[in-house]
PDB file of all heavy atoms in Angstrom:
ATOM      1  N   TYR A 196       7.064 -11.183   2.613  1.00 98.00           N
ATOM      2  CA  TYR A 196       7.528 -12.430   1.961  1.00 98.00           C
ATOM      3  C   TYR A 196       8.307 -13.173   3.036  1.00 98.00           C
ATOM      4  O   TYR A 196       9.271 -12.674   3.629  1.00 98.00           O
ATOM      5  CB  TYR A 196       8.472 -12.009   0.801  1.00 98.00           C
ATOM      6  CG  TYR A 196       9.114 -13.146   0.083  1.00 98.00           C
ATOM      7  CD1 TYR A 196       8.480 -14.354  -0.218  1.00 98.00           C
ATOM      8  CD2 TYR A 196      10.456 -13.032  -0.363  1.00 98.00           C
ATOM      9  CE1 TYR A 196       9.134 -15.391  -0.872  1.00 98.00           C
ATOM     10  CE2 TYR A 196      11.097 -14.048  -1.066  1.00 98.00           C
ATOM     11  CZ  TYR A 196      10.429 -15.230  -1.310  1.00 98.00           C
ATOM     12  OH  TYR A 196      11.049 -16.224  -1.989  1.00 98.00           O
ATOM     13  N   PRO A 198      10.146 -16.411   3.016  1.00 97.00           N
ATOM     14  CA  PRO A 198      10.635 -17.595   2.298  1.00 97.00           C
ATOM     15  C   PRO A 198      11.269 -18.653   3.211  1.00 97.00           C
ATOM     16  O   PRO A 198      11.320 -19.841   2.809  1.00 97.00           O
ATOM     17  CB  PRO A 198      11.657 -17.032   1.345  1.00 97.00           C
ATOM     18  CG  PRO A 198      12.109 -15.741   1.928  1.00 97.00           C
ATOM     19  CD  PRO A 198      10.914 -15.195   2.654  1.00 97.00           C
ATOM     20  N   THR A 199      11.750 -18.230   4.352  1.00 97.00           N
ATOM     21  CA  THR A 199      12.430 -19.225   5.175  1.00 97.00           C
ATOM     22  C   THR A 199      11.595 -19.679   6.372  1.00 97.00           C
ATOM     23  O   THR A 199      12.084 -20.471   7.208  1.00 97.00           O
ATOM     24  CB  THR A 199      13.751 -18.604   5.730  1.00 97.00           C
ATOM     25  OG1 THR A 199      13.479 -17.348   6.359  1.00 97.00           O
ATOM     26  CG2 THR A 199      14.782 -18.365   4.642  1.00 97.00           C
ATOM     27  N   ARG A 201       9.316 -21.792   8.529  1.00 96.00           N
ATOM     28  CA  ARG A 201       8.973 -23.223   8.517  1.00 96.00           C
ATOM     29  C   ARG A 201       7.511 -23.439   9.003  1.00 96.00           C
ATOM     30  O   ARG A 201       6.883 -24.407   8.649  1.00 96.00           O
ATOM     31  CB  ARG A 201       9.900 -23.984   9.483  1.00 96.00           C
ATOM     32  CG  ARG A 201      11.360 -23.964   9.025  1.00 96.00           C
ATOM     33  CD  ARG A 201      11.659 -25.086   8.014  1.00 96.00           C
ATOM     34  NE  ARG A 201      12.943 -24.776   7.314  1.00 96.00           N
ATOM     35  CZ  ARG A 201      13.004 -24.235   6.081  1.00 96.00           C
ATOM     36  NH1 ARG A 201      11.914 -23.949   5.413  1.00 96.00           N
ATOM     37  NH2 ARG A 201      14.145 -24.005   5.518  1.00 96.00           N
ATOM     38  N   PRO A 260      10.436 -23.292  -8.373  1.00 97.00           N
ATOM     39  CA  PRO A 260       9.668 -23.808  -7.257  1.00 97.00           C
ATOM     40  C   PRO A 260       9.906 -22.997  -5.980  1.00 97.00           C
ATOM     41  O   PRO A 260      10.988 -22.416  -5.807  1.00 97.00           O
ATOM     42  CB  PRO A 260      10.240 -25.240  -7.077  1.00 97.00           C
ATOM     43  CG  PRO A 260      11.329 -25.419  -8.029  1.00 97.00           C
ATOM     44  CD  PRO A 260      11.484 -24.163  -8.834  1.00 97.00           C
ATOM     45  N   PRO A 261       8.920 -22.959  -5.119  1.00 98.00           N
ATOM     46  CA  PRO A 261       7.582 -23.538  -5.239  1.00 98.00           C
ATOM     47  C   PRO A 261       6.684 -22.658  -6.119  1.00 98.00           C
ATOM     48  O   PRO A 261       6.724 -21.452  -6.013  1.00 98.00           O
ATOM     49  CB  PRO A 261       7.090 -23.501  -3.810  1.00 98.00           C
ATOM     50  CG  PRO A 261       7.782 -22.311  -3.156  1.00 98.00           C
ATOM     51  CD  PRO A 261       9.119 -22.223  -3.846  1.00 98.00           C
ATOM     52  N   ALA A 292       7.256 -19.324   0.819  1.00 98.00           N
ATOM     53  CA  ALA A 292       7.477 -18.720  -0.473  1.00 98.00           C
ATOM     54  C   ALA A 292       6.262 -18.857  -1.337  1.00 98.00           C
ATOM     55  O   ALA A 292       5.857 -17.935  -2.079  1.00 98.00           O
ATOM     56  CB  ALA A 292       8.711 -19.365  -1.153  1.00 98.00           C
ATOM     57  N   LYS A 296       3.605 -16.081  -3.234  1.00 98.00           N
ATOM     58  CA  LYS A 296       3.234 -16.097  -4.680  1.00 98.00           C
ATOM     59  C   LYS A 296       1.730 -16.275  -4.826  1.00 98.00           C
ATOM     60  O   LYS A 296       1.134 -15.672  -5.708  1.00 98.00           O
ATOM     61  CB  LYS A 296       4.034 -17.259  -5.344  1.00 98.00           C
ATOM     62  CG  LYS A 296       5.538 -17.020  -5.354  1.00 98.00           C
ATOM     63  CD  LYS A 296       6.288 -18.188  -5.942  1.00 98.00           C
ATOM     64  CE  LYS A 296       7.776 -18.046  -5.779  1.00 98.00           C
ATOM     65  NZ  LYS A 296       8.517 -19.192  -6.323  1.00 98.00           N
ATOM     66  N   HIS A 338      15.108 -13.639   3.816  1.00 97.00           N
ATOM     67  CA  HIS A 338      15.823 -14.684   3.087  1.00 97.00           C
ATOM     68  C   HIS A 338      17.187 -14.909   3.699  1.00 97.00           C
ATOM     69  O   HIS A 338      17.691 -14.059   4.422  1.00 97.00           O
ATOM     70  CB  HIS A 338      15.889 -14.341   1.621  1.00 97.00           C
ATOM     71  CG  HIS A 338      15.551 -15.509   0.733  1.00 97.00           C
ATOM     72  ND1 HIS A 338      16.076 -16.757   0.925  1.00 97.00           N
ATOM     73  CD2 HIS A 338      14.738 -15.608  -0.346  1.00 97.00           C
ATOM     74  CE1 HIS A 338      15.637 -17.571  -0.027  1.00 97.00           C
ATOM     75  NE2 HIS A 338      14.780 -16.910  -0.795  1.00 97.00           N
ATOM     76  N   ILE A 339      17.826 -16.028   3.385  1.00 97.00           N
ATOM     77  CA  ILE A 339      19.144 -16.282   3.941  1.00 97.00           C
ATOM     78  C   ILE A 339      20.137 -15.289   3.404  1.00 97.00           C
ATOM     79  O   ILE A 339      20.012 -14.816   2.275  1.00 97.00           O
ATOM     80  CB  ILE A 339      19.604 -17.733   3.622  1.00 97.00           C
ATOM     81  CG1 ILE A 339      19.579 -17.991   2.126  1.00 97.00           C
ATOM     82  CG2 ILE A 339      18.735 -18.759   4.344  1.00 97.00           C
ATOM     83  CD1 ILE A 339      20.286 -19.297   1.728  1.00 97.00           C
ATOM     84  N   LEU A 341      23.061 -15.479   2.133  1.00 98.00           N
ATOM     85  CA  LEU A 341      23.690 -15.802   0.863  1.00 98.00           C
ATOM     86  C   LEU A 341      22.776 -15.429  -0.306  1.00 98.00           C
ATOM     87  O   LEU A 341      23.250 -14.925  -1.343  1.00 98.00           O
ATOM     88  CB  LEU A 341      24.021 -17.316   0.813  1.00 98.00           C
ATOM     89  CG  LEU A 341      24.850 -17.785  -0.408  1.00 98.00           C
ATOM     90  CD1 LEU A 341      26.143 -16.996  -0.519  1.00 98.00           C
ATOM     91  CD2 LEU A 341      25.120 -19.280  -0.330  1.00 98.00           C
ATOM     92  N   PHE A 342      21.513 -15.685  -0.121  1.00 98.00           N
ATOM     93  CA  PHE A 342      20.554 -15.311  -1.146  1.00 98.00           C
ATOM     94  C   PHE A 342      20.577 -13.764  -1.363  1.00 98.00           C
ATOM     95  O   PHE A 342      20.676 -13.264  -2.482  1.00 98.00           O
ATOM     96  CB  PHE A 342      19.139 -15.734  -0.772  1.00 98.00           C
ATOM     97  CG  PHE A 342      18.093 -15.273  -1.765  1.00 98.00           C
ATOM     98  CD1 PHE A 342      17.803 -16.020  -2.882  1.00 98.00           C
ATOM     99  CD2 PHE A 342      17.436 -14.044  -1.576  1.00 98.00           C
ATOM    100  CE1 PHE A 342      16.848 -15.533  -3.816  1.00 98.00           C
ATOM    101  CE2 PHE A 342      16.481 -13.595  -2.490  1.00 98.00           C
ATOM    102  CZ  PHE A 342      16.206 -14.343  -3.613  1.00 98.00           C
ATOM    103  N   LEU A 345      23.654 -12.839  -3.331  1.00 98.00           N
ATOM    104  CA  LEU A 345      23.764 -13.276  -4.718  1.00 98.00           C
ATOM    105  C   LEU A 345      22.606 -12.827  -5.606  1.00 98.00           C
ATOM    106  O   LEU A 345      22.750 -12.690  -6.824  1.00 98.00           O
ATOM    107  CB  LEU A 345      23.872 -14.797  -4.803  1.00 98.00           C
ATOM    108  CG  LEU A 345      25.153 -15.400  -4.154  1.00 98.00           C
ATOM    109  CD1 LEU A 345      25.096 -16.908  -4.268  1.00 98.00           C
ATOM    110  CD2 LEU A 345      26.393 -14.855  -4.882  1.00 98.00           C
ATOM    111  N   PHE A 346      21.429 -12.607  -4.984  1.00 98.00           N
ATOM    112  CA  PHE A 346      20.246 -12.311  -5.793  1.00 98.00           C
ATOM    113  C   PHE A 346      20.395 -11.078  -6.682  1.00 98.00           C
ATOM    114  O   PHE A 346      20.101 -11.163  -7.881  1.00 98.00           O
ATOM    115  CB  PHE A 346      19.034 -12.233  -4.855  1.00 98.00           C
ATOM    116  CG  PHE A 346      17.730 -12.226  -5.552  1.00 98.00           C
ATOM    117  CD1 PHE A 346      17.364 -13.218  -6.450  1.00 98.00           C
ATOM    118  CD2 PHE A 346      16.745 -11.226  -5.307  1.00 98.00           C
ATOM    119  CE1 PHE A 346      16.143 -13.231  -7.102  1.00 98.00           C
ATOM    120  CE2 PHE A 346      15.552 -11.190  -5.929  1.00 98.00           C
ATOM    121  CZ  PHE A 346      15.191 -12.190  -6.824  1.00 98.00           C
ATOM    122  N   PRO A 348      23.138  -9.470  -8.011  1.00 98.00           N
ATOM    123  CA  PRO A 348      23.978  -9.703  -9.208  1.00 98.00           C
ATOM    124  C   PRO A 348      23.386 -10.742 -10.136  1.00 98.00           C
ATOM    125  O   PRO A 348      23.503 -10.645 -11.366  1.00 98.00           O
ATOM    126  CB  PRO A 348      25.324 -10.159  -8.655  1.00 98.00           C
ATOM    127  CG  PRO A 348      25.113 -10.512  -7.209  1.00 98.00           C
ATOM    128  CD  PRO A 348      23.911  -9.729  -6.779  1.00 98.00           C
ATOM    129  N   PHE A 349      22.731 -11.746  -9.564  1.00 98.00           N
ATOM    130  CA  PHE A 349      22.083 -12.757 -10.390  1.00 98.00           C
ATOM    131  C   PHE A 349      21.051 -12.123 -11.325  1.00 98.00           C
ATOM    132  O   PHE A 349      20.989 -12.357 -12.537  1.00 98.00           O
ATOM    133  CB  PHE A 349      21.433 -13.828  -9.517  1.00 98.00           C
ATOM    134  CG  PHE A 349      20.611 -14.854 -10.246  1.00 98.00           C
ATOM    135  CD1 PHE A 349      21.156 -15.735 -11.132  1.00 98.00           C
ATOM    136  CD2 PHE A 349      19.231 -14.933  -9.979  1.00 98.00           C
ATOM    137  CE1 PHE A 349      20.397 -16.670 -11.804  1.00 98.00           C
ATOM    138  CE2 PHE A 349      18.459 -15.848 -10.652  1.00 98.00           C
ATOM    139  CZ  PHE A 349      19.035 -16.736 -11.548  1.00 98.00           C
ATOM    140  N   PHE A 352      22.968  -9.560 -13.858  1.00 98.00           N
ATOM    141  CA  PHE A 352      23.854 -10.045 -14.933  1.00 98.00           C
ATOM    142  C   PHE A 352      23.382 -11.322 -15.611  1.00 98.00           C
ATOM    143  O   PHE A 352      23.731 -11.596 -16.721  1.00 98.00           O
ATOM    144  CB  PHE A 352      25.284 -10.257 -14.359  1.00 98.00           C
ATOM    145  CG  PHE A 352      25.834  -9.014 -13.750  1.00 98.00           C
ATOM    146  CD1 PHE A 352      26.088  -8.911 -12.409  1.00 98.00           C
ATOM    147  CD2 PHE A 352      26.119  -7.891 -14.557  1.00 98.00           C
ATOM    148  CE1 PHE A 352      26.611  -7.766 -11.862  1.00 98.00           C
ATOM    149  CE2 PHE A 352      26.637  -6.708 -14.020  1.00 98.00           C
ATOM    150  CZ  PHE A 352      26.864  -6.643 -12.642  1.00 98.00           C
ATOM    151  N   VAL A 353      22.572 -12.106 -14.883  1.00 98.00           N
ATOM    152  CA  VAL A 353      22.125 -13.369 -15.500  1.00 98.00           C
ATOM    153  C   VAL A 353      20.730 -13.213 -16.122  1.00 98.00           C
ATOM    154  O   VAL A 353      20.577 -13.395 -17.313  1.00 98.00           O
ATOM    155  CB  VAL A 353      22.182 -14.539 -14.449  1.00 98.00           C
ATOM    156  CG1 VAL A 353      21.736 -15.847 -15.101  1.00 98.00           C
ATOM    157  CG2 VAL A 353      23.572 -14.679 -13.864  1.00 98.00           C
TER     158      VAL A 353
HETATM  159  C1  LMG B 501      14.910 -21.230  -1.485  1.00 81.49           C
HETATM  160  O1  LMG B 501      16.171 -20.703  -1.494  1.00 81.49           O
HETATM  161  C2  LMG B 501      14.544 -21.594  -0.089  1.00 81.49           C
HETATM  162  O2  LMG B 501      15.397 -22.594   0.327  1.00 81.49           O
HETATM  163  C3  LMG B 501      13.111 -22.092  -0.083  1.00 81.49           C
HETATM  164  O3  LMG B 501      12.695 -22.317   1.224  1.00 81.49           O
HETATM  165  C4  LMG B 501      12.210 -21.069  -0.688  1.00 81.49           C
HETATM  166  O4  LMG B 501      12.163 -19.993   0.151  1.00 81.49           O
HETATM  167  C5  LMG B 501      12.752 -20.627  -2.026  1.00 81.49           C
HETATM  168  O5  LMG B 501      11.868 -19.458  -3.892  1.00 81.49           O
HETATM  169  C6  LMG B 501      11.913 -19.430  -2.527  1.00 81.49           C
HETATM  170  O6  LMG B 501      14.065 -20.200  -1.971  1.00 81.49           O
HETATM  171  C7  LMG B 501      16.608 -20.658  -2.754  1.00 81.49           C
HETATM  172  C8  LMG B 501      17.996 -20.114  -2.785  1.00 81.49           C
HETATM  173  C9  LMG B 501      18.909 -20.985  -1.992  1.00 81.49           C
HETATM  174  O7  LMG B 501      18.330 -20.132  -4.148  1.00 81.49           O
HETATM  175  C10 LMG B 501      18.923 -19.060  -4.616  1.00 81.49           C
HETATM  176  O8  LMG B 501      19.238 -18.228  -3.921  1.00 81.49           O
HETATM  177  C11 LMG B 501      19.078 -19.082  -6.099  1.00 81.49           C
HETATM  178  C12 LMG B 501      18.975 -17.723  -6.662  1.00 81.49           C
HETATM  179  C13 LMG B 501      20.246 -17.031  -6.593  1.00 81.49           C
HETATM  180  C14 LMG B 501      21.113 -17.649  -7.536  1.00 81.49           C
HETATM  181  C15 LMG B 501      22.469 -17.084  -7.476  1.00 81.49           C
HETATM  182  C16 LMG B 501      23.200 -17.509  -8.620  1.00 81.49           C
HETATM  183  C17 LMG B 501      24.589 -17.113  -8.468  1.00 81.49           C
HETATM  184  C18 LMG B 501      25.036 -16.505  -9.660  1.00 81.49           C
HETATM  185  C19 LMG B 501      25.940 -15.450  -9.305  1.00 81.49           C
HETATM  186  C20 LMG B 501      25.721 -14.333 -10.188  1.00 81.49           C
HETATM  187  C21 LMG B 501      26.836 -13.415 -10.144  1.00 81.49           C
HETATM  188  C22 LMG B 501      26.703 -12.519 -11.243  1.00 81.49           C
HETATM  189  C23 LMG B 501      27.957 -12.351 -11.852  1.00 81.49           C
HETATM  190  C24 LMG B 501      27.782 -12.496 -13.286  1.00 81.49           C
HETATM  191  C25 LMG B 501      28.780 -11.725 -14.007  1.00 81.49           C
HETATM  192  C26 LMG B 501      28.495 -11.802 -15.408  1.00 81.49           C
HETATM  193  C27 LMG B 501      29.227 -10.787 -16.145  1.00 81.49           C
HETATM  194  O9  LMG B 501      20.163 -20.485  -2.114  1.00 81.49           O
HETATM  195  C28 LMG B 501      21.127 -21.160  -1.463  1.00 81.49           C
HETATM  196  O10 LMG B 501      20.873 -21.941  -0.610  1.00 81.49           O
HETATM  197  C29 LMG B 501      22.503 -20.851  -1.862  1.00 81.49           C
HETATM  198  C30 LMG B 501      22.597 -20.608  -3.276  1.00 81.49           C
HETATM  199  C31 LMG B 501      23.899 -21.035  -3.756  1.00 81.49           C
HETATM  200  C32 LMG B 501      24.001 -20.793  -5.182  1.00 81.49           C
HETATM  201  C33 LMG B 501      23.240 -21.768  -5.934  1.00 81.49           C
HETATM  202  C34 LMG B 501      23.665 -21.688  -7.331  1.00 81.49           C
HETATM  203  C35 LMG B 501      22.565 -21.964  -8.195  1.00 81.49           C
HETATM  204  C36 LMG B 501      22.891 -21.369  -9.488  1.00 81.49           C
HETATM  205  C37 LMG B 501      21.736 -21.325 -10.375  1.00 81.49           C
HETATM  206  C38 LMG B 501      21.774 -20.115 -11.152  1.00 81.49           C
HETATM  207  C39 LMG B 501      21.605 -20.380 -12.565  1.00 81.49           C
HETATM  208  C40 LMG B 501      22.205 -19.308 -13.320  1.00 81.49           C
HETATM  209  C41 LMG B 501      22.617 -19.699 -14.595  1.00 81.49           C
HETATM  210  C42 LMG B 501      23.955 -19.228 -14.844  1.00 81.49           C
HETATM  211  C43 LMG B 501      24.142 -18.860 -16.203  1.00 81.49           C
HETATM  212  C44 LMG B 501      25.504 -18.237 -16.339  1.00 81.49           C
HETATM  213  C45 LMG B 501      25.597 -17.308 -17.465  1.00 81.49           C
END
Side-chain angles (χ1 to χ4, degrees):
Y196 174 42
T199 52
R201 296 275 162 259
K296 295 176 188 179
H338 225 313
I339 56 168
L341 187 57
F342 175 86
L345 295 178
F346 191 55
F349 173 65
F352 303 114
V353 181

